[in-house]
Each structure stands twice: as structure tokens, then as C-alpha cells.
Amino acid sequence: MNAKSRKVVATTVDSSHLTTNDYLDLRFEELLDRISADGLAPGGGSAAAFTVAFAARLVAMVARCSAIWKEAPGVAAQATAISDRAIALAQSDGRAWDAALLALRDAEAADTQDDAKRDFALERKLEAAAAAPLEIASLAADIAALAAAAGERCEATYRADAAAAAALAAGGAAAAAHLVRVNLGIRPGDRRLADALSSEQAARDVADRLGGAAR
Amino acid sequence: MTRHSSLTDAELVRACRAGDSEAWNELVERYSRYVYAIAVRGFRLSDDDAEDVFQDVFTRIYLRLDSLRDDSALRPWIAQLTRRRCLDALASKSRETPAEDELMYEETSDLTDVEEAFAVREALAGLSETCQEMLDRFFARDQSYRTIGEELDIPSGTIASRIARCLGRLREQLEGRNPPAEGSRG
């Protein structure tokens, strides 16, 4: 276990937190307070998912404000669907992360447990914790693609918002890809890590292109 | 897909009346989930009660198909039969029946969802297979553009635009639908 993990385990883990996890029922300020409250979810993965959801809603807004663009309603519908998925992933990432923290704590406490067995259980939990960020990165790449379409075809007034959406998507993708890398450990050739990095790159390419065009 | 799956409701009804057993199978296949959804989602019936309603509704459809005045109005007729049978089922359990206003709320909110879902399903059937496939993969199976592109061998950069165009066609299909007519005497 590395130093970072030990520090996390030192945090008190309250399992009752796992049952009060519906982020959409929280006021925005409460959600922000929850993020900053302690080492529990919502953490980086959920924040990345929220960022992707913000990007998606911006794309939906740009599309809805672009009456001249025939495909705009279909783009808005896709962006809204992606936003819904991102929020759901924020929830599942929170649950997976809390479960991983509990497993880390239990592993610390169980001195007599067989090391190999314990490490295997931990690895499984951490792999589960990588699943949501992997999907979040993929959603970010998709919303960046929609932002690219919006940036090219929307009304000029909203091009900056399309570029902002792409930048947010790139940020969400980078954060999610980082979490995939950390939770899976360093495993060259792992397809999941390659997919996450590919999503990150795709989102960043769009953000750079739209950002450059806006300057 | 059977040779009957592309028939309109009116054509299907005529084939059933002519004694075509495959047409009857298609009718049951087309509307079984609809009847079940009304019973379970619209009226909150238990699985056992919903199964009773299901059997009874399709028995009545079989026996009374000749009473359907407008062959194209099959769906609203089935909806009407199902709602009546569900109310009968609830009435027979009167001690467990919710207050009337609560029942009405459940009918109006959830039945609207069921109706909309089936209207979309019908409209989807009018789209090309490629469109149906792409919309299903994106909206129902939550697949990414990359996955859709890889599995359908389509450049992933074009997926979003294709889906948007398919949604446009779906919208046209839905807007072109005639409002449901009154069903029957049954």
C-alpha cells in the first residue's frame, strides 16, 4: 500500500454515508460542501462526471439556440442523454469509491489476514473504482464530439459556449483518465487504460481546435 | 422478424380475422408488453394479477376482433380493454383498492408514459433499420460513439450527425401520426 492510500485509510469512514447519495436531490451548495467535506465521495470521479454534465448541458443550450441548424434538436437530445448518464456515473463512482475506501480500511485493520488474499480483494475494489471513470472519460469524448459539431454549425453568438463545453469536456476526460490510471495501477497494454487515454486525447483535440478558432 | 412483422395494425387485424395463426402470434407479440405495462406500471397490479389480466385481455381480443369498427384503431381498443380489465381486478380486491383519487393519478401519469413509449416504438418501426439500430444503441444501450462506430463499421466522427438525422425522422414520424381514434363497441 502506498503512502497516499495509507493517508486515505487514516480518514474515518462512516458507512451510513453510502445510503444518502442522491446528488440530484442536494442543493448546489450542499453538493459543493459534500465534495469538500472529507475524504469520502463525491470525490474526483464524481467531480469529473459533474464537469462532463455541465459540458453536455452547455452543448444542449448551444444547439437549442441555433434555429438555423437543422440537426440541432437531435444534438440537444444526445447532449441531454449524455448529461443524464454522467450524473448517474457520478453516483456510481461515489459508491465504488466509498466501497474501495472501506476495503482499504478493513485491510489495514485485519492484521491476521493473508496478504495475498487481502491484496486480491483490494485490487478488485480498486478495479471497480476504475470502471466509472473509464465511462466518464468516454462520455467526455462524446460530448466533445458534439461540441465540435455545435461549434461548426451553431449561431456565431454561441460559438464561445461550444468552445467552453469542449474545454470542460477535456478537463473531465483528463481527470477521469487519471483516476483510471491510478486505480488500475501501472499496467502497460491494459485496454481500459488505453481507451481512457484515447478518450482524453480526443476531447483535448476538440478543445484545442475550438479554443484556437475562438481566439 | 416474421413476414407479418411489417404489417400495419389494420392489415394484421384483417389477417387475424381470416384465420391466419401467424398473424395472431404477431399480434400477441406486438402488444403483449403493452398490455403488461399498462397492468403493472399503470395500475400497479401484482405479477399474478397482471398475468390474469394479460390472459383475459387476449382472450377477449380473440373473441371480439370482429367488433372492432376501425381496424387501424387496434392499439386504443386494446388499451381500453386492458384498462377496464385492470379496474375489474382492482374492484375485486376492493379492500386493498387505493382511494379513487390516488387511482386516477396513477392512471393518468403512468399510463401516459406507457402510451408515449409505445407511440415511440411504433414510430421507430417506420425508420430504416440503420436508424433503428443507431438510436437503440445510443439511447437504450448507452453505447458510446466509438463503440457504435466500431460495431457498425461507421466512422465514429459521423455518428452524432447520423443519430441527429435519425431523430429528425423519428420526430416526423411521431408528428405524422393520426390522433388515436375511438376504438370499438367492446
Side-chain angles (χ1 to χ4, degrees):
Chain A
M1 187 180 295
N2 61 29
K4 184 180 174 186
S5 299
R6 288 183 192 284
K7 185 179 174 188
V8 165
V9 172
T11 308
T12 302
V13 178
D14 176 8
S15 60
S16 66
H17 177 80
L18 294 173
T19 62
T20 55
N21 225 6
D22 195 350
Y23 299 147
L24 284 183
D25 287 342
L26 299 175
R27 287 189 302 117
F28 193 59
E29 187 180 12
E30 290 173 335
L31 178 62
L32 295 176
D33 285 345
R34 286 271 291 267
I35 291 173
S36 59
D38 51 33
L40 296 171
S46 298
F50 295 139
T51 304
V52 173
F54 282 140
R57 293 292 173 160
L58 265 180
V59 170
M61 181 273 285
V62 170
R64 289 191 178 113
C65 292
S66 301
I68 54 169
W69 181 19
K70 193 180 173 191
E71 293 172 3
V75 167
Q78 290 174 73
T80 304
I82 287 174
S83 168
D84 291 346
R85 274 178 229 163
I87 294 299
L89 283 170
Q91 297 276 163
S92 53
D93 179 83
R95 283 192 289 270
W97 177 232
D98 280 350
L101 282 180
L102 288 170
L104 285 165
R105 184 196 65 175
D106 290 346
E108 275 285 288
D111 293 335
T112 58
Q113 194 175 7
D114 174 66
D115 280 353
K117 200 171 170 183
R118 182 195 64 192
D119 289 347
F120 178 72
L122 267 176
E123 193 175 315
R124 294 290 297 271
K125 294 284 184 189
L126 288 171
E127 285 209 354
L134 181 58
E135 289 189 59
I136 292 164
S138 174
L139 285 184
D142 284 354
I143 207 62
L146 284 178
E152 288 165 10
R153 295 172 203 168
C154 71
E155 292 183 13
T157 311
Y158 300 101
R159 265 186 212 132
D161 289 300
L168 287 170
H178 176 70
L179 294 172
V180 171
R181 187 188 297 114
V182 167
N183 288 338
L184 288 179
I186 304 300
R187 290 184 192 167
D190 189 311
R191 170 75 194 262
R192 293 167 295 179
L193 182 56
D195 283 349
L197 295 175
S198 170
S199 295
E200 178 189 3
Q201 186 63 50
R204 189 189 303 147
D205 287 346
V206 173
D208 288 348
R209 195 166 75 241
L210 291 189
R215 277 194 285 272
Chain B
M1 184 177 284
T2 71
R3 68 187 173 89
H4 290 87
S5 57
S6 59
L7 295 181
T8 65
D9 279 357
E11 291 166 342
L12 196 59
V13 167
R14 283 192 284 277
C16 286
R17 284 204 189 103
D20 184 337
S21 60
E22 282 186 33
W24 174 251
N25 289 339
E26 169 62 23
L27 188 150
V28 174
E29 170 68 23
R30 193 176 292 185
Y31 284 102
S32 57
R33 282 194 290 178
Y34 183 55
V35 169
Y36 201 76
I38 290 174
V40 172
R41 291 196 53 196
F43 288 87
R44 305 277 196 269
L45 295 189
S46 67
D47 285 347
D48 285 346
D49 288 342
E51 179 62 28
D52 288 345
V53 166
F54 180 92
Q55 297 293 341
D56 192 62
V57 165
F58 280 101
T59 301
R60 286 173 193 234
I61 293 170
Y62 186 80
L63 294 173
R64 298 185 185 180
L65 203 55
D66 286 340
S67 71
L68 182 62
R69 284 180 294 190
D70 177 358
D71 291 353
S72 65
L74 179 64
R75 188 163 67 90
W77 182 54
I78 291 176
Q80 189 181 50
L81 283 176
T82 307
R83 281 196 291 268
R84 285 182 184 171
R85 186 62 191 86
C86 287
L87 288 170
D88 289 345
L90 289 172
S92 71
K93 297 187 171 226
S94 56
R95 278 172 297 185
E96 300 167 12
T97 304
E100 191 168 331
D101 55 347
E102 188 181 341
L103 180 62
M104 289 304 294
Y105 168 76
E106 288 179 0
E107 276 191 66
T108 52
S109 61
D110 292 317
L111 282 180
T112 301
D113 289 346
V114 172
E115 290 287 344
E116 283 181 359
F118 276 82
V120 170
R121 187 176 167 225
E122 281 185 352
L124 272 171
L127 301 183
S128 69
E129 282 191 29
T130 306
C131 269
Q132 290 184 46
E133 181 79 23
M134 292 179 78
L135 293 178
D136 179 62
R137 284 174 180 271
F138 183 79
F139 287 102
R141 291 191 249 167
D142 290 350
Q143 289 187 348
S144 67
Y145 297 144
R146 181 196 293 164
T147 302
I148 295 171
E150 285 173 356
E151 295 191 2
L152 298 184
D153 199 21
I154 295 172
S156 63
T158 67
I159 304 287
S161 289
R162 286 171 184 245
I163 291 175
R165 285 196 292 274
C166 291
L167 283 172
R169 288 182 201 125
L170 180 66
R171 185 177 190 165
E172 289 168 5
Q173 289 274 342
L174 283 166
E175 288 175 348
R177 289 177 71 242
N178 292 324
E182 279 305 312
S184 76
R185 298 182 291 263

